[in-house]
Amino acid sequence: MDWPFGDLRPFSYGLIYADPPWRQEMYSEETGTRKAPQAHYACMPLDEIKALPVGHLAAPDCYIVMWSLWNFVAPGYATNTLQAWGFAPKSGGSWHKVTKHGKAAMGTGYGFRGCCEPFLTGSIGKPKVHSRGERNGFTTDVDADFELNALLAQAREHSRKPEEMREALERMFPDVRKVELFSRRPACDRWDVWGNETAKFQDTTA
């Protein structure tokens, strides 16, 4: 088997954090592509994403968090990807996006306008979760009662994920090797990274 992950160590990561470059099918190539992920970065067909040997990065006990899109979650494509990688799907959540002005960020959608982004979780073996206080919703409402919501997470550059997710994962899995796949920022002392744009976002602040 060809190893696509460069210097990443096989069978050594207790946490895998992935943001696959899902390729969207367009109803209209003329208007749809301008707002699709492939207008911003190189995307991959679903079969190529599923064929990556992500499970060969996993330690015997490994937890995975994978970002997706609702139109990949609804028909089961995202769940099938976790299974193809060797993970048992477990749960998920969503990031409800807020603008810098505190308003709900609105995107395109299929019927409903998109203002949140889903993620799925899965596991190999029995990873130990250290922090049981993390929640699976990231709110858009900056005026909401903080006790009723998980985290405030502002939408920034296209495809850039909330720093609060990484912080939650570090609390949940403080003592394991961690890797971010399809990362768009450099490695740091707590994380290895892999992707073709790992220098895209240089700062790591929220």
Side-chain angles (χ1 to χ4, degrees), residues 60-74:
D61 298 310
C62 181
Y63 192 83
I64 189 169
V65 173
M66 182 188 72
W67 290 101
S68 188
L69 304 166
W70 284 115
N71 59 313
F72 279 76
V73 171

Side-chain angles (χ1 to χ4, degrees), residues 98-144:
V98 60
T99 70
K100 64 181 180 180
H101 302 296
K103 304 296 184 180
M106 298 293 287
T108 57
Y110 294 84
F112 288 101
R113 293 286 300 276
C115 65
C116 64
E117 187 168 342
F119 61 88
L120 299 182
T121 68
S123 66
I124 288 174
K126 296 182 178 180
K128 182 179 179 181
V129 180
H130 288 262
S131 171
R132 295 286 181 176
E134 311 305 329
R135 305 184 189 185
N136 68 346
F138 295 77
T139 182
T140 60
D141 187 354
V142 295
D143 296 320

Side-chain angles (χ1 to χ4, degrees), residues 36-103:
Q38 49 263 42
H40 301 271
Y41 49 83
C43 294
M44 295 173 63
L46 179 61
D47 287 347
E48 290 184 15
I49 293 173
K50 291 169 66 175
L52 289 169
V54 175
H56 291 170
L57 289 167
D61 298 310
C62 181
Y63 192 83
I64 189 169
V65 173
M66 182 188 72
W67 290 101
S68 188
L69 304 166
W70 284 115
N71 59 313
F72 279 76
V73 171
Y77 303 151
T79 299
N80 292 343
T81 297
L82 286 181
Q83 293 170 326
W85 289 349
F87 291 83
K90 294 296 183 181
S91 186
S94 61
W95 165 29
H96 295 260
K97 300 177 181 179
V98 60
T99 70
K100 64 181 180 180
H101 302 296
K103 304 296 184 180

Side-chain angles (χ1 to χ4, degrees), residues 19 21 37-43 158-160 180-187 193-202:
D19 183 19
Q38 49 263 42
H40 301 271
Y41 49 83
C43 294
H158 191 279
S159 84
R160 189 171 188 174
E180 182 172 351
L181 302 181
F182 309 102
S183 179
R184 306 188 81 194
R185 64 184 199 172
V193 299
W194 176 81
N196 62 5
E197 289 188 310
T198 55
K200 178 72 173 180
F201 303 132
Q202 290 292 332

